[in-house]
Amino acid sequence: MSRPAFALRDAEARLLVEQMAALTLRHAHNVRNHRPFVRDFIAAVFHATGKTYSAPIYRRLLGAYAPERRPSTSTLAAEKTLFEQQLPAMAAVAPLASTPGNAELLSSMLRRVVDEALAGAGSVNGDAGSAQQQRAYTEYLRDRLESAESALAASRASTARLAADLQEAVNTARLYHDQLEVAQAAAAAQATLLGALPQALHDMRQFSLRAIDEVRGETRAVRERCAYLEETLKERETMLETFRQVAYRHGAPIPGQRKGGPAS
């Protein structure tokens, strides 16, 4: 079964891309001598991934992120070996660079070491090979110093971004907290209204029942009054009829009958 193709994770690729702009700008004047660029590129890959890789992997990464650079395999292997030899020293000074004050001290120390190396290179008397090696080492120290300063600037920029993100998160949390308090106050008011609603409904029901009872009582009274009036009317009609019969017996004219003769 074949191995999966090598690829950086998204976060590693993003960190490497962020460093490539500074690398390209720093080495734009020297496109033929690939060694300083390869040196910083290996350091950038290590900063992004925390690992070192073989020369073929570095060549593949260069093809993806810096296709214009085509160093030899021996250059890649040599710079990787040199970088791995420098890792213990870098790990020793890494805690010093974690704070701004120590980072400034470390930068000053590196500058002093480079200056002393430059001064020593000017005063060294020996064969041409030793002087050339000293100049190469001095150039390496200068490149490492620039790389450290670039990494320091990137760390400061990242810290500033993280601080801004943190402040934004704090502001958002404060806004959400205020909105939550408003929502809780509204919920408490609604709960109070809901708590008073059963009593209000009970009072309305009692009022309705009393009103219905009163209407029923009034209706009963009206009915009784009507019955009484009807009974009174019947009695008066009966009395009136009795009076009429009595009047007829005593000679009172019957309505509709002419005087002097019987009614036709």
Side-chain angles (χ1 to χ4, degrees), residues 90 92-112 145 148-149 152-153 155-156:
M90 293 172 61
V93 300
L96 295 176
S98 59
T99 59
N102 289 338
E104 294 290 346
L105 178 61
L106 179 60
S107 178
S108 176
M109 292 172 58
L110 289 175
R111 288 183 179 277
R112 185 166 62 251
L145 175 61
E149 290 178 342
L152 176 61
S155 299
R156 288 177 175 173

Side-chain angles (χ1 to χ4, degrees), residues 135-164:
R135 284 194 299 271
Y137 185 68
T138 301
E139 182 181 355
Y140 168 75
L141 290 178
R142 183 184 292 108
D143 291 338
R144 296 306 304 158
L145 175 61
E146 292 177 357
S147 177
E149 290 178 342
S150 177
L152 176 61
S155 299
R156 288 177 175 173
S158 178
T159 302
R161 288 195 301 270
L162 291 176

Side-chain angles (χ1 to χ4, degrees), residues 65-186:
Y65 296 94
E68 70 280 0
R69 297 285 182 169
R70 296 182 178 86
S72 63
T73 303
S74 59
T75 299
L76 291 171
E79 289 300 327
K80 175 208 170 183
T81 301
L82 184 60
F83 180 79
E84 289 177 339
Q85 293 174 356
Q86 299 294 329
L87 279 179
M90 293 172 61
V93 300
L96 295 176
S98 59
T99 59
N102 289 338
E104 294 290 346
L105 178 61
L106 179 60
S107 178
S108 176
M109 292 172 58
L110 289 175
R111 288 183 179 277
R112 185 166 62 251
V113 170
V114 171
D115 292 339
E116 291 176 356
L118 290 174
S123 61
V124 169
N125 294 321
D127 56 6
S130 299
Q132 184 176 3
Q133 292 178 359
Q134 186 68 25
R135 284 194 299 271
Y137 185 68
T138 301
E139 182 181 355
Y140 168 75
L141 290 178
R142 183 184 292 108
D143 291 338
R144 296 306 304 158
L145 175 61
E146 292 177 357
S147 177
E149 290 178 342
S150 177
L152 176 61
S155 299
R156 288 177 175 173
S158 178
T159 302
R161 288 195 301 270
L162 291 176
D165 293 342
L166 176 61
Q167 185 61 41
E168 183 179 359
V170 170
N171 295 336
T172 303
R174 186 178 297 112
L175 177 62
Y176 288 162
H177 183 268
D178 295 340
Q179 293 178 350
L180 177 60
E181 289 183 348
V182 173
Q184 287 177 342

Side-chain angles (χ1 to χ4, degrees), residues 228-245:
Y228 171 76
L229 292 175
E230 288 178 355
E231 186 67 23
T232 302
L233 181 61
K234 289 180 180 179
E235 291 177 356
R236 290 183 179 182
E237 286 178 351
T238 302
M239 185 180 297
L240 180 61
E241 184 64 26
T242 301
F243 287 160
R244 186 181 294 117
Q245 294 295 331

Side-chain angles (χ1 to χ4, degrees), residues 211-226:
I212 292 172
D213 290 340
E214 291 176 359
V215 170
R216 286 176 177 174
E218 293 177 357
T219 303
R220 188 180 303 110
V222 170
R223 287 179 178 176
E224 292 175 355
R225 181 66 177 170
C226 290

